[in-house]
């Protein structure tokens, strides 16, 4: 990871998706993305109440636990942007 080479203390957060594209998450996590980041970021846009994101975050947590290296299975999830239309 070039970022960690340049700054070993950097915190790498990604992928910063709009919503919860679970098929994308699963593919990226299977391919090893979680070994290269320190937190998973998503923008949980929705038209419903904010509390409806709870089940989506639980599903995301389960994917992280399934695919992350053992030492990263409890990595943070970052809700990095919200929006309502």
């Amino acid at each position: 990871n070039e970022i960690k080479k340049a700054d070993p203390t950097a915190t790498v957060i990604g992928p910063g998706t709009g919503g919860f594209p679970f098929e994308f998450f699963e593919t990226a996590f299977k391919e090893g993305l979680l070994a290269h980041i320190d937190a998973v970021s998503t923008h949980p846009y929705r038209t419903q109440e904010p509390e409806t994101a709870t089940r989506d975050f639980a599903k995301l947590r389960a994917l992280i636990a399934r695919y992350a290296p053992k030492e990263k299975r409890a990595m943070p999830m970052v809700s990095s942007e919200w929006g309502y239309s």
Side-chain angles (χ1 to χ4, degrees), residues 48-65:
Q48 313 92 337
E49 299 80 16
E51 294 80 10
T52 61
T54 301
R55 73 176 178 278
D56 292 330
F57 278 111
K59 189 173 179 179
L60 180 57
R61 170 60 61 211
L63 286 174
I64 293 168

Side-chain angles (χ1 to χ4, degrees), residues 7-37:
D7 181 357
T9 65
T11 300
V12 180
I13 301 172
T17 60
F20 290 86
F22 289 110
E23 187 175 322
F24 169 78
F25 283 139
E26 186 150 18
T27 299
F29 295 174
K30 278 182 186 178
E31 293 296 320
L33 173 66
L34 297 172
H36 302 284
I37 61 176

Side-chain angles (χ1 to χ4, degrees), residues 40-55:
V40 174
S41 171
T42 188
H43 307 155
Y45 304 126
R46 56 195 57 243
T47 57
Q48 313 92 337
E49 299 80 16
E51 294 80 10
T52 61
T54 301
R55 73 176 178 278

